[in-house]
């Protein structure tokens, strides 16, 4: 039976460290959270981030805009936030409603306040291994592996999913930690033949039960990044948790695994932003 990678407990430890760092600052860091429209999932994520801010002594400033907001208005808000001295981090909750150019809006955020690390400059820094802000989810995974003393060096890491915000930076960060990395995606032929080779398997796709027990090498470390809503209102990951737990050496649950870690790293990034900007 696999050991559970308890992201919830580790995230709490990170928040305590962030709170302690923040308490020594002359003024609290400010995080601007921009939400457009009334998507329930986005609202849920934003509310959780606001709760985390309270726990860490960070001031959250919510900017809720209507679904039909024009792009110019949103861009003006981002420019204002870029110049506000009480705002150290800016995040725009995605997905944005159709009609808004997400890339244009994200790239308008000052790279010094880009606590999600979605800006191209920060993404490029990840490629070079010279991190400005660390992308929250991949850094959450690396922190988790480190906390459980799971060696990355020399291991074969297989990342399923190749998005700009999770899969690609995840692969790059595992590479910087000296893993041999394979990246799989929707066009990968015979996915199982790759996942079965993984010492460390990270799945970030958004498809229930994509990873079944027969796709996992005995003793592998399995990290489930996926978040899938279920009909009963709960969420699950991409991995068949019950069955894969019987094969893996370590496994992260959903909920309670990577999700809380992502949010904790966001708090860490916001405190670091305040440090850099003050
Ligand atoms: P995305 O839709 O941008 O990317 C999905 C990736 O999966 C793509 O690269 C695609 O090629 C690949 N893919 C799709 N179907 C596949 C298949 N059958 N086999 C192999 N690869 C396949 O999604 P994203 O933003 O990277 O998020 C991925 C998942 O992670 C989602 O469920 C999302 O909700 C979740 N997520 C979780 C956290 C967290 O904190 N836990 C953070 C971000 C995203």
């Amino acid at each position: 039976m696999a050991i559970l990678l308890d992201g919830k407990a580790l995230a709490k430890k990170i928040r305590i460290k962030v709170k302690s760092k923040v308490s020594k600052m002359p003024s609290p860091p400010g995080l601007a959270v921009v939400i457009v429209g009334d998507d329930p999932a986005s609202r849920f994520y934003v509310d959780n981030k606001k709760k985390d801010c309270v726990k860490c002594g960070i001031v959250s400033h919510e900017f809720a805009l209507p679904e039909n907001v024009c792009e110019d208005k949103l861009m003006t808000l981002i420019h204002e936030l870029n110049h506000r001295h009480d705002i150290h981090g800016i995040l725009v909750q995605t997905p944005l409603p159709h009609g808004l150019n997400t890339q244009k809006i994200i790239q308008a955020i000052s790279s010094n306040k880009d606590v999600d690390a979605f800006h191209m400059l920060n993404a490029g820094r990840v490629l070079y291994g010279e991190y400005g802000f660390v992308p929250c989810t991949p850094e959450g995974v690396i922190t988790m592996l480190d906390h459980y003393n799971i060696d990355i060096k020399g291991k074969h890491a297989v990342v399923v999913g190749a998005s700009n915000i999770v899969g690609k930076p995840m692969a790059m960060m595992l590479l910087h930690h000296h893993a041999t990395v394979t990246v799989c995606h929707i066009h990968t032929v015979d996915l199982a033949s790759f996942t079965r080779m993984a010492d460390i398997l990270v799945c970030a796709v958004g498809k229930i039960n994509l990873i079944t027990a027969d796709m996992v090498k005995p003793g592998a470390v399995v990290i489930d990044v996926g978040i899938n809503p279920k009909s009963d209102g709960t969420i699950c990951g991409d991995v068949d948790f019950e069955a894969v737990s019987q094969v893996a050496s370590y496994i992260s649950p959903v909920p309670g695994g990577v999700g809380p870690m992502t949010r904790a790293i966001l708090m860490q990034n916001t405190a670091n932003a305040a440090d850099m900007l003050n």
Side-chain angles (χ1 to χ4, degrees):
M1 188 71 181
I3 295 169
L4 203 68
L5 298 168
D6 188 346
K8 198 172 168 190
L10 181 53
K12 191 172 176 188
K13 287 188 179 160
I14 294 170
R15 283 197 304 270
I16 290 168
K17 274 193 199 159
V18 172
K19 188 177 181 185
S20 161
K21 178 178 171 136
V22 164
S23 69
K24 297 183 186 89
M25 291 180 176
S27 56
L31 175 66
V33 183
V34 180
I35 176 167
V36 184
D38 51 11
D39 174 51
S42 291
R43 170 48 63 196
F44 177 76
Y45 291 133
V46 163
D47 286 349
N48 276 336
K49 287 169 190 172
K50 283 163 65 181
K51 282 183 203 156
D52 287 343
C53 282
V54 173
K55 288 179 192 160
C56 293
I58 292 170
V59 180
S60 68
H61 305 256
E62 181 180 307
F63 298 87
L65 302 172
E67 174 121 17
N68 61 355
V69 69
C70 71
E71 199 167 279
D72 284 350
K73 194 164 178 191
L74 187 49
M75 291 293 276
T76 304
L77 172 64
I78 301 290
H79 290 306
E80 278 170 17
L81 295 173
N82 282 343
H83 290 99
R84 269 178 61 169
H85 294 296
D86 60 331
I87 300 286
H88 304 89
I90 304 169
L91 72 85
V92 176
Q93 186 65 44
T94 56
L96 288 172
H98 291 297
L100 292 172
N101 184 337
T102 303
Q103 267 314 311
K104 183 177 163 190
I105 289 153
I106 298 293
Q107 301 312 319
I109 296 173
S110 162
S111 63
N112 295 326
K113 296 189 178 185
D114 170 40
V115 284
D116 264 335
F118 290 171
H119 192 284
M120 283 182 193
L121 193 66
N122 288 318
R125 285 182 176 138
V126 173
L127 185 73
Y128 280 81
E130 293 169 9
Y131 306 133
F133 290 112
V134 279
C136 300
T137 301
E139 177 65 11
V141 172
I142 297 284
T143 305
M144 205 179 219
L145 293 172
D146 183 53
H147 177 79
Y148 282 88
N149 293 317
I150 296 167
D151 224 1
I152 304 175
K153 193 173 178 178
K155 298 286 166 59
H156 186 183
V158 176
V159 179
V160 186
S163 70
N164 289 332
I165 63 168
V166 187
K168 285 186 208 167
M170 184 76 254
M172 213 40 71
M173 290 168 77
L174 287 162
L175 184 61
H176 292 315
H177 283 79
H178 312 295
T180 300
V181 183
T182 300
V183 183
C184 301
H185 47 80
I186 194 158
H187 300 294
T188 298
V189 177
D190 194 3
L191 179 64
S193 69
F194 294 97
T195 59
R196 268 189 222 115
M197 288 195 290
D199 302 310
I200 299 172
L201 176 61
V202 182
C203 192
V205 169
K207 196 162 178 242
I208 295 178
N209 286 340
L210 178 67
I211 305 296
T212 49
D214 59 312
M215 296 169 76
V216 176
K217 178 161 96 174
V221 175
V222 179
I223 309 280
D224 194 352
V225 178
I227 299 176
N228 303 293
K230 292 203 292 187
S231 52
D232 63 1
T234 61
I235 56 164
C236 69
D238 295 344
V239 175
D240 177 354
F241 182 82
E242 296 305 328
V244 173
S245 298
Q246 307 299 320
V247 182
S249 58
Y250 291 86
I251 190 166
S252 72
V254 179
V258 178
M261 290 300 295
T262 299
R263 283 162 39 204
I265 302 297
L266 176 71
M267 296 298 112
Q268 193 174 278
N269 280 353
T270 306
N272 290 344
D275 236 2
M276 287 190 276
L277 290 166
N278 281 335

